[in-house]
């Protein structure tokens, strides 16, 4: 399964959202200890467009997730999970200015 196929499938399974124009952005390598147990996460960041802009996310895994919401990249809620916090600190922007026009 490609990163693009995985992103579309996972998003559909977890939120019910259908996406298109899926593209790879970056990946991070995260090693940290949680309660004394080392954890290694490789996080793949993808970008896509909603297939239908009127879709709303559903919480299809309430036992794993409190819910979904939209946030401006420059105004994310805190605390962030470590992989996102790490990529934000690098100055990474998934929406570069030249693409916003």
């Amino acid at each position: 399964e490609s990163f693009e196929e995985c992103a579309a499938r996972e998003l559909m399974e977890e939120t019910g959202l259908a996406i298109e124009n899926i593209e790879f952005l970056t990946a991070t390598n995260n090693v940290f200890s949680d309660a004394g147990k080392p954890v290694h996460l490789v996080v793949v960041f993808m970008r896509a467009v909603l297939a239908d802009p009127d879709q709303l996310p559903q919480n299809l895994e309430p036992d794993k997730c409190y819910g979904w919401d939209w946030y401006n990249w420059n105004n994310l809620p805190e605390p962030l999970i470590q992989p996102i916090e790490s990529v934000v600190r690098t100055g990474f922007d998934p929406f570069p200015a030249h693409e916003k026009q």
Side-chain angles (χ1 to χ4, degrees):
E1 179 177 51
S2 70
F3 288 153
E4 293 81 6
E5 291 166 333
C6 179
R9 178 183 53 75
E10 286 287 336
L11 196 67
M12 179 60 75
E13 288 174 4
E14 295 176 16
T15 69
L17 295 173
I19 54 175
E20 58 190 18
N21 301 331
I22 307 165
E23 60 184 312
F24 172 83
L25 294 180
T26 192
T28 62
N29 187 34
N30 309 273
V31 180
F32 56 97
S33 280
D34 187 22
K37 181 180 177 188
V39 176
H40 181 202
L41 296 176
V42 174
V43 178
V44 178
F45 289 83
M46 306 293 289
R47 178 174 55 194
V49 175
L50 291 174
D52 173 357
D54 294 325
Q55 295 176 93
L56 295 175
Q58 304 168 55
N59 188 3
L60 299 178
E61 297 181 335
D63 56 318
K64 297 179 184 177
C65 176
Y66 292 118
W68 300 106
D69 209 349
W70 302 111
Y71 296 96
N72 182 295
W73 182 257
N74 296 314
N75 191 27
L76 296 172
E78 292 190 14
L80 296 172
I81 62 169
Q82 194 236 358
I84 294 179
E85 182 179 324
S86 297
V87 79
V88 166
R89 273 188 280 147
T90 70
F92 173 78
D93 184 352
F95 310 104
H98 73 275
E99 294 181 1
K100 294 177 185 173
Q101 300 171 359

